[in-house]
Amino acid sequence: MKPLLTVENLTKSYGDIVACDHISFKLYPRQVLGIVGESGSGKSTLLRGISGNLTIDTGKISYTRQNGEVLNLETLPEYQRRWLMRTEWGFVQQNPQDGLRMNVTAGANIGERLMDVGVRHYGNLRESANYWLQQVEIDSSRIDFFPSTFSGGMQQRLQIARILVTKPRLILMDEPTGGLDVSVQAKLLDLLRSLVRTFHLSVILVTHDLGVVRLLADHLIVMKQGKIVESGLTDQVLDDPQHPYTQQLVSATLMP
């Protein structure tokens, strides 16, 4: 099976600080890859570098489209990268308000992404918005409500619906449960797990929460000071950590 995404020797520095130091990995179709590490480990920089939200210093990022075409994202024209992010990719922001248009309705937030790819029929847009609201467990009666009237958890679910409407193959998630209280986190995680399975999504999930990756991720990368210090199947890494830093993370999670 060909990898969906290949990252080779990705490096990003800020002055003397190396945020990502020759990071390499492969993501396969329908795989959920978790990336964990403390604040400042480089995990969010890595995700932003992959998405194109920041320019990397060196390295190569390759993406295999559904038709088998391999794209080199570093040489891809900007308009093609933007199109990719509107169609085959999606980015779930930690703060859902950063991923939503707060001055338009829930339905318009979902429909807007469809309009970006050429859908113009109002009835089809509304039908799709209703469908995706239901998929993320938001009552379709809220279709004409503004996101500002939603709770934080509902805003996050609306952001996910907005992304999924174009049926992307790859979702990048930056701390998707951050800032939510425990009960809301649990419901969102159950929903995410269901959506990943139902729509056969490939996901790169950045989080500091080992409980989140244990529930969602097949494979795990542990980062410290810009480097990958351990990687492997999630259960193997968490149940039998080999690197002292991973052992420290797991022990801290297990402490009462």
Side-chain angles (χ1 to χ4, degrees), residues 12-224:
K12 176 66 179 178
S13 298
Y14 298 95
D16 294 333
I17 300 173
V18 182
C20 290
D21 189 357
H22 295 89
I23 301 297
S24 298
F25 66 85
K26 293 180 180 180
L27 177 77
Y28 289 87
R30 302 187 182 185
Q31 185 182 79
V32 179
L33 174 67
I35 303 175
V36 300
E38 63 191 358
S39 178
S41 63
K43 59 188 188 297
S44 291
T45 297
L46 174 59
L47 196 69
R48 291 170 61 210
I50 293 169
S51 70
N53 288 339
L54 61 78
T55 304
I56 64 173
D57 297 334
T58 60
K60 182 179 178 181
I61 306 168
S62 304
Y63 169 67
T64 305
R65 304 192 67 183
Q66 198 156 16
N67 62 7
E69 178 187 8
V70 178
L71 302 178
N72 181 353
L73 299 189
E74 295 313 296
T75 59
L76 197 66
E78 182 60 29
Y79 77 92
Q80 290 188 17
R81 183 183 276 273
R82 288 198 301 267
W83 178 256
L84 193 67
M85 290 301 299
R86 289 199 297 263
T87 54
E88 296 188 37
W89 289 30
F91 194 109
V92 176
Q93 304 276 358
Q94 177 178 355
N95 181 353
Q97 295 186 19
D98 293 336
L100 295 170
R101 288 188 60 197
M102 302 301 289
N103 60 340
V104 301
T105 65
N109 263 283
I110 298 172
E112 183 180 58
R113 186 163 160 112
L114 279 178
M115 292 178 69
D116 285 344
V117 297
V119 180
R120 291 291 182 267
H121 189 279
Y122 176 78
N124 292 342
L125 291 169
R126 187 135 181 123
E127 182 179 355
S128 293
N130 268 312
Y131 172 80
W132 284 105
L133 285 174
Q134 292 171 22
Q135 294 305 305
V136 297
E137 300 175 359
I138 296 176
D139 195 296
S140 57
S141 65
R142 305 293 296 271
I143 190 170
D144 294 317
F145 284 59
F146 287 88
S148 58
T149 66
F150 291 0
S151 66
M154 285 181 67
Q155 288 178 358
Q156 191 63 288
R157 284 182 275 141
L158 177 60
Q159 181 188 190
I160 292 166
R162 174 182 167 92
I163 289 168
L164 291 181
V165 69
T166 54
K167 299 181 180 178
R169 301 173 68 217
L170 173 62
I171 307 291
L172 309 177
M173 297 185 179
D174 187 8
E175 299 278 8
T177 60
L180 302 176
D181 66 45
V182 175
S183 62
V184 176
Q185 279 188 24
K187 291 178 181 177
L188 181 61
L189 286 171
D190 284 342
L191 174 64
L192 287 173
R193 184 167 58 174
S194 174
L195 292 172
V196 164
R197 291 175 177 173
T198 301
F199 298 106
H200 310 301
L201 301 173
S202 301
V203 178
I204 299 178
L205 168 69
V206 162
T207 182
H208 67 279
D209 191 330
L210 297 186
V212 171
V213 291
R214 187 182 284 278
L215 187 66
L216 293 179
D218 311 304
H219 285 71
L220 183 62
I221 285 173
V222 181
M223 291 187 66
K224 178 178 172 62

